Amino acid sequence: MAHTIRDRKPLLTRVRRIQGQLRSLESTLDEGGDCAAVLQQIAAVRGAVAGLMNQVLEGHIREHLGNPEASPAERTEDVEEVLAALRSYLR
C-alpha cells in the first residue's frame, strides 16, 4: 500500500489546514490588512507547505529507498524521482 494512501488522513488534515491559512490570507489581503499581518500569514502558509512536503518526502524515502527488496534499477529510479521533486520544490 502506498504511503500516501496509508497516511491519507493526516495528509488531508495538513492540506485542509493550509487551505484555511490561504483563505485567511486572502481575506486579509481583500480587506486591505496590515503588511506585517500579510507577511506573517505568508510565512505560516510556507511553513505548513514545507511540513506537508517533509511528511510526504519522508514517507516516500522510507517506503521506496528503504525497501530492501528493491532492485538496483528500482532504487535508481526512486532516487531520480526524489531528486526531481526536490529540484522542483527548491526553485
Side-chain angles (χ1 to χ4, degrees):
M1 176 184 303
H3 61 94
T4 52
I5 294 170
R6 185 180 56 245
D7 300 333
R8 189 164 115 193
K9 187 173 180 177
L11 292 174
L12 286 172
T13 299
R14 280 185 179 269
V15 168
R16 290 180 183 121
R17 187 176 306 127
I18 293 166
Q19 288 172 332
Q21 290 172 322
L22 287 170
R23 281 191 298 272
S24 178
L25 173 60
E26 180 182 22
S27 176
T28 300
L29 287 169
D30 193 40
E31 296 168 2
D34 179 56
C35 182
V38 169
L39 290 170
Q40 183 177 13
Q41 288 177 329
I42 292 170
V45 169
R46 181 178 183 210
V49 170
L52 176 63
M53 178 70 166
N54 289 341
Q55 187 174 356
V56 173
L57 186 58
E58 181 179 337
H60 183 80
I61 288 170
R62 288 185 188 279
E63 183 166 311
H64 296 278
L65 300 179
N67 181 0
E69 298 170 9
S71 71
E74 290 171 322
R75 283 186 194 274
T76 300
E77 183 179 332
D78 286 335
V79 166
E80 292 304 318
E81 285 179 4
V82 169
L83 291 175
L86 286 173
R87 281 187 205 104
S88 176
Y89 179 71
L90 295 174
R91 281 187 203 179

